[in-house]
Every structure is written in structure tokens, then in C-alpha cells.
Amino acid sequence: MGQKMVSKNDIVNRIRDITGSAGVLFEDGDLEPYTHDEFATDEYHVTPLAVIKPVTEREVAGIINLCSELGVPVTARGAGTGLSAGCVPCEGGIILSLEKMNKVLEIDEENLSVTVQAGVTLSQLYGAIREAGLFFPPHPGDEGAMIGGLVAANAGGARAVKYGTIKQFIRGLHVVMADGAILNLGGNIMKSSSGYHLLDLMVGSEGTLGIITQATLSLQRPPGSMETLVIPFATIDKAVEAVNVLFKAGIIPFAVEFIEHSVISCVEKLLNKSWPAKKGAASLLVILDGPGEEEVLAQAEGVAEELAACDPLEILLAEQKERQADILELRSMIYEALRPGTGELFDICIPRSRISSHIRFLRTLEDRYGISLPTYGHAGDGNIHTHSMNVTFEEGVVGDPVPGWREKHEHLRKELYADAMKRGGVISGEHGIGLVKREYLPENIGENTVAVMRAIKKALDPRGILNPGKIFS
Amino acid sequence: MGQKMVSKNDIVNRIRDITGSAGVLFEDGDLEPYTHDEFATDEYHVTPLAVIKPVTEREVAGIINLCSELGVPVTARGAGTGLSAGCVPCEGGIILSLEKMNKVLEIDEENLSVTVQAGVTLSQLYGAIREAGLFFPPHPGDEGAMIGGLVAANAGGARAVKYGTIKQFIRGLHVVMADGAILNLGGNIMKSSSGYHLLDLMVGSEGTLGIITQATLSLQRPPGSMETLVIPFATIDKAVEAVNVLFKAGIIPFAVEFIEHSVISCVEKLLNKSWPAKKGAASLLVILDGPGEEEVLAQAEGVAEELAACDPLEILLAEQKERQADILELRSMIYEALRPGTGELFDICIPRSRISSHIRFLRTLEDRYGISLPTYGHAGDGNIHTHSMNVTFEEGVVGDPVPGWREKHEHLRKELYADAMKRGGVISGEHGIGLVKREYLPENIGENTVAVMRAIKKALDPRGILNPGKIFS
């Protein structure tokens, strides 16, 4: 890399030639928000040389060309809501923030699609299409997240089980490549067998192969009716096993989440709202959708019938919309509630039938390491979120620091990942690899698979300027 | 390429060291079936040096290593049911046929998946999972097609509109790379953000990036009930416009096909079966699915209500299962019926709302060139099949050769593709590019996009031994 040859001022001046002054930050105080993502601890903080906020694809291409010329690494960033340090700057590198490319460009009601710039947030997208009576099924947790980042991480969320992750909803992407070329991948078409699926290669590539500037997304009509069930069980094992029974019976819920009650009680305190189930150790949260209330209530009856053999303690239907909203808010705020004591949040994905045995293994880890591992997740698709708490955590109360947490946690993480791999899983279901998990990727997917990824990276970004060091080193 | 340095006998002997004698063909008479795919005309026929039929992944890797050493191109082949000359041998190359790797390895009823070798046929797959009460939604036309080839072409079919193309159903792949490495991509997991989506890159790569030897596929419970509607309209325009009305109303059929009645009458003669609609110029074939008969009949009523404004001539519900089967057979045999007079079969995919204007354009082409263009296709996802007939075709009767067809057709093809591109489409929705369409790919998706594909090909197959010349030259 040649960046040592070029002063920060030189770079900033050259960038101003491209974007004008308005879109460049380089004072230390302004840079702080761009030094990290939402990963809980502060070990992945790097201060960028500068933050650039282009407003057009041509400006993005100009910046990439400049960085390529100067050998300066460039890290694309949306809202910074990621959890794997994927958008943390590289040493000596700049941040290319897409936040000003925030326009909803077109809603196509005929073809049920929307075209947005990369800096449009999820909540902005939901708002724009709601007015047109349209619906975007994916719902990764944070509605402040921007589309470019969601695509770059292949974000999932609770609704992925029925409708798929964000990858299934992308019809087209604009991507600026390392040589400044602007690719228009896909389009507003629903299928294609016209050459390699570069679009899918860009999804989940975490800014290492190209900068996503625009996306065309598939939409649907909103479900005519939705119902929310909360079903408590005596043990988490029973809750998780019940999910397999539903799928085997052909019931595919809109979302199906498992949550331990100790986790729920922590978020109840934060929000001052109450979870409907009082009995038992864990609940399933099941959301059903369909064209009309009658169909969905029939589905709910089907759920109750199938689960009768699984010892549910009760089956609670949230009658009013407000109650449904409370329940969803409690689920969606779990991360916030646990965050103050979270050392690391895991995101493994394993075959659904193996969730319960993995959770039993987590209990042995808790005992052996003296570290609390509150766990919940997307039971339908095998994506499990476990918090390694660096404080005590009992009955939902975040307590005192755990002495020697970091060292113990390093061993615990190794064991947790080894267990996920043994069960045929991956270390990230939806958060991405970034810096946080890259050390474990070769063991997980194989050295020869990572070698192929490296070869593609090298072919498309020979100077290594696009977010180098993320996913693999 | 160094193949001129090595005699055919040397190659055959070296291959026998790997696979034994049983799996090698090299007599001209035995090679003929492997010289072409199902593309209608004989312009894409090449005789391979030899045909090898390995039975294990290790043998596949051994053959690839040998071909790499000798510089001999190798073309993977399933059942040869493709329509784009994707599996036609390269000059001086060998065919690696997966036909003997034909085992259904595991049906996982807990996680609703099946793992098969690449040479398993669709009908074999359907049979194996039916016994377990499971269902694989994709249905590309020919049930003799093998899974490896379906994945390599990202096959679609009539059912892709609701459940997606085969890509959406692939959880894991085993792929032998150009350096002999055997990659195990994905697994039996439902989502992953763990590095680049190499699995999706392999889907649709037509044997140019690696040899697919095994796949793990997502399954579902079969729909509890299905109903088949046939809805004739006075004009094809009205039929196609009606489809947009359905989707805008939030009705997503299991399949929705448009078919001109001239096409139907041709296949009626072949099968000696009759299409239920007699009036009008074109029909929609709408298949609905759902958990029970009541729900599906309610959906059918919804279809009838929405279509009331679209001037359907009648709405016919196939009452008995046998009648449903007849209708589906008539649809699925269209290709066979038209084939004797087919010079080329097109496979463009455009935004759904633009199908009717494209079809109006086809009518002007017919008039100007004097070439019949019977047309039908997947109205839900914009994938249109048009046959360029090298014989006269009136009232469903295949007649005499069209003088000067080939030359006229070359011009017609250019215009047809230009119209598809103008409407934001791609030249292949589900058949692949192969040799047949590669000349048009750069204009369609952009030279810079093809350049990225070439860079990936070069990085993963530096000696260019894997099916070189397919997709791009």
C-alpha cells in the first residue's frame, strides 16, 4: 500500500475535487461515530483518515479511482448498525458513507418492486411502500439500518423463515467496482440464467468486492391478516422441539422465535411492559399470516392441534393489535436490554433439528466457565443468538463483572463454534463475518473454500483497496 | 492448450487408470448421443474425444487433474436436456457424464431436505421424496433432467413464480474445482452470512467454474390441495394484462401460464387430448395451491372476482384430477409438439408489465419476416418462450419449410433481443446462455459485467479447462 507516501491533507484535497467540501469530514471529533459499528465491546475501533459522503454513483466511482491510485483502503458504510465490525475502517483508510444517497427512486406498482439508493433506511423504505399499499417481508432487527449495508451483510431477521433473507428479494443492484466500473446487475426482472449470478456474489460480500449504490427489491401485497401466538413451555428443550413438529406438519409461520423467560424478564424491566406468559422457562413466539382472518385463525387452530403432543403450558393468542405490538417490541428490544452486559453476541446457524442439543451444550458451557449465555433466536431457520455476558446475569438482572471474563470467553467461543460446526452449522447466519469472526471462518467452511474467496477478491480488487481484511485476512 | 501433444489413446488409458474400463466410451458410435443437447437444430454438434462416467467425487477430481495436466477441456453433462448447447463438448475435449452418480443419499424429514448426487433425475427425486410425503416445488419441463444440470443452468419452470427457481431451494453443493479441490458449499442450513455466496455463483455457471457432484435441496410438505383453472380471452393481450391484475391484488398463483390457442391446437393433435377452452385466441392456465380445498376454492373465487374486469370469456375449473392431469400434459408437451418445425426457441425474461407490448412487437416481426412465432410462457415472472418456426405454422399445423429461414431468422433474432433489452429484460430467463446466446450476452448485461465474469473464470480456472467457450468466449 502506498498511503504512507500521501499526506492526509493531500487525500482530503483530492477528494474535495470530486465531492466538494460539503461531503468530507476529517476532524477527529467528527470522525468518532465512524470508528466502530454496534458490536458491543470497544476492541474494534479504528479512526479513519476521512469520511466521504458522496451523493452520486459517479462520485463514488471517482473516490474509488482515487483510492486505487493512492493505494488507500476504502470501507463502505451505511448506518453502522452491523454487529461484526464489517464496516469498521481499515488502518490508514477512509470511510465512504452512503448516508446521503438516500432517495427512494421508484415504486413500480405494476411489477411490485421498489428501487432505492443504498443509504435509504429500512424505516424509510417501509414508510414509502406502505403509502402505496405494498410490503417488504424481510425485517432485520434495526429499522435504522440502510439498504446497502443490509445487502452487504445478507441480513436476515425473524421473518426469514417463510419469505427468505434479503437475498431472495433483490432483483437488481448497482455496484461500483474496484476499477471504478459501475455495474448494473439484474434489473427489475424476476429470474435470469444469463451468466454468473454476480448479484448474489455481491450480497453478503461486506464491501470487499464492490460498493453497492442502488438496489431494486421485490415487494408483495401485505398479508390480509396476521396473528401472534405466545406459547410457554416448561423447558426450552420442549419449546424448540415443538418447532420441528410444526414444520413437519407443513405449517410454515411468518416468524417463529424461541426465547428464554430470563431473557424476557430483562427486557420487561427495560420497557416496563409484560410478556403474556408467566409460567414455564421459555416461550415460542409464533406469527402467522394469510389472506384473511378466517384463514389465519384456522392456521392458529392447526398450530394448537399439532402442539398438543408437545406439552405446551398454554397457547395465548394476542387479541388486540396493541398487545401484538407490545409482544413484538419486547422481542425486538432483547438485544438492547442485554447489551450493557454483553461481551459478544453469537449468530450461529445450524440444522433446525439440532437446536435443542446445541442449547443443552450451551448449559454445560455456562457451568464450566461461569459465564451466563442467555439465548434466543429464529427457531424456524436454526439461527441462534447467544450473548456471552461479561457480567452476572440471573433472573434477568444484569449484575457485577465476571472476573477474567475475556480469557474464559476466548475458550468458550472456541467450544461454542466447534459445537456449531460439529452439528453442520455456520458461524454466522445473518450478521456477517467482518473482523469479529474471520479467525474462525477457514475452520468452518474449509481452507479450500476460503482460498476460492481470496482468488475472487484478488481478481476483482487486485490492489486490495475495498475493505481489506474483512471476512478473511 | 496442449491436447495436440497427447494422443486420444494416451488420454483414454490415463483415464482408465482413474475410473476403470467400465466408465469410458471412445468409439464413434457410442459418442453420438453426447455430441449435442436438445437444442432443436444440428448446428451445435461436436464429437468428444471420449465420454467418462465417474462414480465418485474422487474420480471426478482425478479426471479434472488429468485434464488440467494435459490441457484437455472437460464438459460436464447430466441428461443433456438443455436448450442452449451448454453441455455440448468442446473441440478436442472430453465429456464428463454424471449419469452414474445417481444415488439419493439422504432424505432428512426433520429438516425437510434431500441430498442427492448430480446424476439423479427429477423424476427419480420426485419419486423418492413422494414416498416420504415430501415435495420439491420446482418443475422445469423435462423430468429426465438431472439435478447437476438443473443447478448448472438455474432451471426455472412454470412453478418458479410462487416458490422461486431451483436456486432458492439449494442448501448445499459439492463442487470439484479446476485444481481438483472438492468444495463443500453451504450444507443443510437454511441461511448463512459466512463469506461469499459461492454456492449461488456456481448455480447457473454452466460447468465453467466447477463440476457439481452433489446437492442438498430444501423440501416442503405437499400443498394440501391444488386447483387448475383455464381462462380463455378474446386476445392474447387481454390474457396477459389479466395476470398483472392478479398480482396487483396480492394473488400469487402456484403457476400462471399464457398460451395461444394456435399453439394448443398443435399439441392437442399430438396427444389426441382436448383443451377445455374452445372460444378465444389465448388462455391463461392458473394453478392455485393451499392447505385445504376450501382455502383453494376461496382463492379461485378471488381470481374470478379480480378477473371480472378483464373480459374473460369463461372461467373453467378442472373438476376431476384426470382432467387436471390432461391440461398439465397439454401444457408440458408444447415444446415437443412444436419441435419438428422449431429453428430456435427463445427464453427472454422481462418485467411482467411489459409482456403484452413485447408480444405485440412479435406480431410485427412475424409480418415483416414471414416467420411464425408461436409464443407462450410463464406470465407470472415475465419469462416468455417464442419459437422461431422454420416451417409454416397456421392453425396449429406444421407445414412446409420457409425459404431463406436461416438468414431471415438471424435478423429477426437481433430485433427480438433488442426489444427484450429495451424493455429491461435478459436474453435467458431459465435455459442458460451456452453457445447459443453467448454472442448477445455482452450487449445484454454490459461488456463491463462480462469482463467481471471473465476475471472470475480466469481466477478459478486459469488453464481454461472447464467447458471453455460457454456463456462467453
Side-chain angles (χ1 to χ4, degrees):
Chain A
M1 293 296 174
Q3 77 268 21
K4 280 174 195 151
M5 310 294 290
V6 190
S7 78
K8 178 168 165 173
N9 275 348
D10 285 349
I11 296 174
V12 171
N13 287 333
R14 294 281 304 271
I15 288 171
R16 279 188 173 140
D17 291 343
I18 299 168
T19 61
S21 291
V24 188
L25 304 178
F26 60 101
E27 300 293 349
D28 279 358
D30 299 331
L31 298 178
E32 196 287 327
Y34 298 89
T35 61
H36 61 89
D37 70 354
E38 291 291 313
F39 188 74
T41 58
D42 58 5
E43 57 195 303
Y44 298 102
H45 282 225
V46 175
T47 303
L49 276 188
V51 174
I52 329 294
K53 304 179 183 180
V55 293
T56 67
E57 276 172 3
R58 294 218 159 272
E59 286 182 4
V60 174
I63 294 163
I64 298 297
N65 283 332
L66 178 65
C67 288
S68 180
E69 181 195 325
L70 303 177
V72 172
V74 52
T75 298
R77 184 182 174 100
T81 57
L83 294 162
S84 64
C87 68
V88 167
C90 306
E91 291 290 347
I94 64 162
I95 284 286
L96 192 158
S97 168
L98 281 302
E99 66 197 277
K100 288 191 171 179
M101 293 182 67
N102 59 0
K103 291 190 183 58
V104 175
L105 298 174
E106 189 195 2
I107 296 175
D108 181 342
E109 297 189 43
E110 290 291 325
N111 296 296
L112 301 179
S113 65
V114 61
T115 299
V116 298
Q117 290 185 309
V120 165
T121 65
L122 257 187
S123 64
Q124 192 187 347
L125 171 71
Y126 293 143
I129 63 175
R130 195 182 301 122
E131 285 174 31
L134 291 165
F135 178 66
F136 183 64
H139 190 273
D142 189 331
E143 293 195 7
M146 292 174 185
I147 300 300
L150 292 166
V151 173
N154 187 28
R159 297 181 190 165
V161 56
K162 182 166 183 177
Y163 293 107
T165 64
I166 206 162
K167 180 151 67 83
Q168 270 83 55
F169 288 85
I170 306 173
R171 292 190 191 171
L173 287 179
H174 285 201
V175 185
V176 180
M177 305 297 288
D179 63 357
I182 301 173
L183 302 193
N184 181 351
L185 303 176
N188 194 2
I189 46 171
M190 292 179 65
K191 66 187 196 189
S192 174
S193 290
S194 302
Y196 302 160
H197 291 119
L198 297 183
L199 192 154
D200 296 288
L201 184 65
M202 292 298 160
V203 179
S205 65
E206 304 189 22
T208 65
L209 296 179
I211 311 284
I212 294 157
T213 53
Q214 185 175 310
T216 298
L217 306 169
S218 282
L219 303 175
Q220 298 179 3
R221 289 288 162 202
S225 182
M226 295 180 77
E227 296 292 345
T228 302
L229 300 172
V230 172
I231 309 163
F233 292 83
T235 66
I236 188 158
D237 259 33
K238 288 194 173 189
V240 170
E241 293 292 347
V243 176
N244 290 319
V245 172
L246 289 186
F247 279 86
K248 284 178 79 172
I251 297 170
I252 304 178
F254 185 72
V256 50
E257 302 279 300
F258 70 94
I259 314 163
E260 292 181 291
H261 287 173
S262 58
V263 173
I264 286 290
S265 67
C266 183
V267 65
E268 282 179 326
K269 287 180 198 97
L270 178 75
L271 295 180
N272 200 22
K273 290 185 172 173
S274 73
W275 189 249
K278 299 297 162 210
K279 304 181 209 167
S283 286
L284 286 186
L285 166 62
V286 178
I287 305 177
L288 303 170
D289 72 325
E293 198 180 351
E294 210 174 312
E295 288 92 337
V296 182
L297 289 174
Q299 260 192 76
E301 272 172 41
V303 169
E305 272 170 38
E306 294 297 335
L307 292 190
C310 305
D311 296 332
L313 298 177
E314 44 190 346
I315 295 183
L316 303 162
L317 180 71
E319 300 278 354
Q320 297 107 7
K321 290 292 153 201
E322 305 82 62
R323 199 69 190 101
Q324 285 193 23
D326 281 355
I327 293 168
L328 298 185
E329 193 185 357
L330 283 159
R331 165 62 189 89
S332 72
M333 291 297 284
I334 291 176
Y335 175 71
E336 282 307 316
L338 293 178
R339 196 178 168 187
T342 296
E344 182 166 351
L345 168 58
F346 294 107
D347 170 44
I348 68 155
C349 189
I350 58 177
R352 187 172 53 228
S353 68
R354 297 169 194 162
I355 299 176
S356 57
S357 49
H358 176 73
I359 292 176
R360 282 195 295 275
F361 177 76
L362 293 179
R363 295 298 160 252
T364 71
L365 286 182
E366 284 189 313
D367 290 345
R368 284 192 282 121
Y369 288 99
I371 291 177
S372 289
L373 299 170
T375 294
Y376 54 94
H378 313 311
D381 53 29
N383 187 198
I384 304 172
H385 295 317
T386 297
H387 291 244
S388 175
M389 302 299 283
N390 56 24
V391 298
T392 60
F393 182 74
E394 275 173 43
E395 307 288 321
V397 178
V398 169
D400 299 323
V402 173
W405 173 81
R406 181 159 299 281
E407 203 195 333
K408 287 192 259 183
H409 170 74
E410 291 291 329
H411 293 282
L412 181 150
R413 185 207 281 131
K414 274 204 184 71
E415 288 205 51
L416 188 148
Y417 280 160
D419 189 73
M421 294 179 206
K422 193 181 81 185
R423 298 183 202 282
V426 287
I427 58 178
S428 178
E430 59 184 18
H431 293 168
I433 300 298
L435 292 175
V436 174
K437 305 187 193 82
R438 74 174 190 184
E439 184 189 336
Y440 295 92
L441 189 65
E443 189 188 341
N444 185 190
I445 63 174
E447 279 287 358
N448 54 9
T449 301
V450 175
V452 172
M453 293 179 187
R454 271 201 197 93
I456 291 173
K457 166 75 173 168
K458 180 92 183 160
L460 304 193
D461 179 21
R463 298 203 64 189
I465 60 157
L466 295 175
N467 209 15
K470 306 307 187 323
I471 304 179
F472 44 76
S473 56
Chain B
M1 295 295 176
Q3 78 270 20
K4 280 173 194 151
M5 311 293 290
V6 190
S7 78
K8 179 167 164 174
N9 275 349
D10 285 349
I11 296 175
V12 171
N13 287 333
R14 295 279 305 270
I15 289 171
R16 278 187 173 142
D17 290 344
I18 298 168
T19 61
S21 291
V24 189
L25 303 178
F26 61 101
E27 301 292 349
D28 279 357
D30 298 331
L31 298 177
E32 197 286 328
Y34 298 89
T35 61
H36 61 89
D37 71 354
E38 292 291 313
F39 188 73
T41 58
D42 57 6
E43 57 195 302
Y44 299 102
H45 281 225
V46 175
T47 303
L49 276 188
V51 174
I52 329 293
K53 304 179 183 180
V55 294
T56 68
E57 276 172 2
R58 294 216 158 273
E59 285 182 5
V60 173
I63 294 163
I64 298 297
N65 283 332
L66 178 65
C67 289
S68 180
E69 181 195 327
L70 302 178
V72 172
V74 52
T75 298
R77 184 182 174 101
T81 58
L83 293 161
S84 64
C87 69
V88 167
C90 305
E91 292 289 348
I94 64 163
I95 284 287
L96 192 159
S97 168
L98 280 304
E99 66 198 279
K100 288 191 171 179
M101 293 182 66
N102 60 0
K103 290 191 184 57
V104 175
L105 298 174
E106 191 195 3
I107 296 174
D108 181 342
E109 297 190 42
E110 290 292 324
N111 296 296
L112 301 179
S113 64
V114 61
T115 299
V116 297
Q117 290 185 310
V120 165
T121 65
L122 258 186
S123 64
Q124 193 186 346
L125 171 71
Y126 292 144
I129 63 175
R130 195 183 300 123
E131 284 173 31
L134 292 165
F135 179 67
F136 182 64
H139 190 272
D142 190 329
E143 293 194 8
M146 292 175 186
I147 300 301
L150 293 165
V151 173
N154 188 27
R159 298 181 189 164
V161 56
K162 181 164 183 177
Y163 293 107
T165 64
I166 206 161
K167 180 150 68 83
Q168 270 82 54
F169 289 85
I170 305 174
R171 293 190 191 171
L173 287 180
H174 285 202
V175 185
V176 180
M177 305 298 286
D179 63 357
I182 301 173
L183 301 193
N184 181 351
L185 303 176
N188 194 2
I189 45 171
M190 292 179 66
K191 65 187 196 189
S192 173
S193 290
S194 302
Y196 303 159
H197 290 120
L198 299 184
L199 192 154
D200 297 288
L201 184 65
M202 292 299 160
V203 179
S205 65
E206 305 190 21
T208 65
L209 296 178
I211 311 283
I212 295 158
T213 52
Q214 184 176 311
T216 298
L217 306 169
S218 281
L219 302 175
Q220 298 179 3
R221 289 289 162 203
S225 183
M226 296 180 77
E227 297 291 345
T228 302
L229 300 173
V230 171
I231 309 163
F233 292 84
T235 65
I236 189 158
D237 259 31
K238 289 196 172 189
V240 170
E241 293 293 346
V243 175
N244 290 320
V245 172
L246 289 185
F247 280 86
K248 283 178 79 171
I251 297 170
I252 305 178
F254 185 71
V256 52
E257 301 280 302
F258 70 95
I259 315 164
E260 292 181 290
H261 286 172
S262 57
V263 173
I264 286 289
S265 68
C266 183
V267 65
E268 282 179 326
K269 288 180 198 96
L270 179 75
L271 295 180
N272 199 24
K273 289 185 173 172
S274 73
W275 190 250
K278 299 296 162 210
K279 304 180 208 167
S283 287
L284 286 185
L285 166 62
V286 178
I287 305 176
L288 303 169
D289 72 325
E293 199 180 348
E294 212 174 310
E295 288 93 338
V296 182
L297 289 174
Q299 260 192 75
E301 272 172 40
V303 168
E305 273 169 38
E306 294 297 335
L307 292 191
C310 305
D311 295 333
L313 299 177
E314 46 189 344
I315 294 182
L316 304 163
L317 181 70
E319 299 279 353
Q320 298 106 7
K321 290 292 153 204
E322 305 84 61
R323 198 71 189 100
Q324 284 193 23
D326 281 355
I327 293 167
L328 298 185
E329 194 185 356
L330 282 158
R331 165 63 189 89
S332 72
M333 291 298 283
I334 291 175
Y335 174 71
E336 283 307 315
L338 294 178
R339 198 179 166 186
T342 296
E344 182 165 352
L345 169 58
F346 293 107
D347 170 44
I348 69 155
C349 189
I350 59 177
R352 186 172 52 227
S353 69
R354 297 169 194 164
I355 299 177
S356 58
S357 49
H358 176 72
I359 292 177
R360 282 195 295 275
F361 177 77
L362 293 179
R363 295 299 161 251
T364 70
L365 287 183
E366 284 188 313
D367 291 346
R368 283 193 282 121
Y369 288 99
I371 291 177
S372 289
L373 299 171
T375 293
Y376 54 94
H378 314 310
D381 53 29
N383 187 198
I384 304 173
H385 295 317
T386 298
H387 290 245
S388 175
M389 302 300 281
N390 55 24
V391 297
T392 61
F393 182 74
E394 275 173 44
E395 307 288 322
V397 177
V398 168
D400 299 324
V402 173
W405 173 81
R406 179 159 300 281
E407 203 194 334
K408 287 192 258 185
H409 170 74
E410 291 291 329
H411 292 282
L412 181 150
R413 185 206 281 131
K414 273 203 185 71
E415 287 205 51
L416 187 149
Y417 280 160
D419 188 74
M421 294 179 206
K422 192 181 81 185
R423 298 183 201 283
V426 287
I427 58 178
S428 178
E430 60 184 19
H431 293 169
I433 299 298
L435 293 175
V436 174
K437 306 188 193 82
R438 75 174 189 185
E439 184 189 337
Y440 295 92
L441 189 65
E443 189 188 339
N444 185 190
I445 64 175
E447 279 287 358
N448 53 9
T449 302
V450 176
V452 171
M453 293 180 186
R454 273 202 196 92
I456 291 173
K457 166 75 174 168
K458 181 90 183 161
L460 303 193
D461 178 21
R463 297 204 64 189
I465 60 158
L466 294 175
N467 209 15
K470 305 307 187 322
I471 304 180
F472 43 77
S473 54

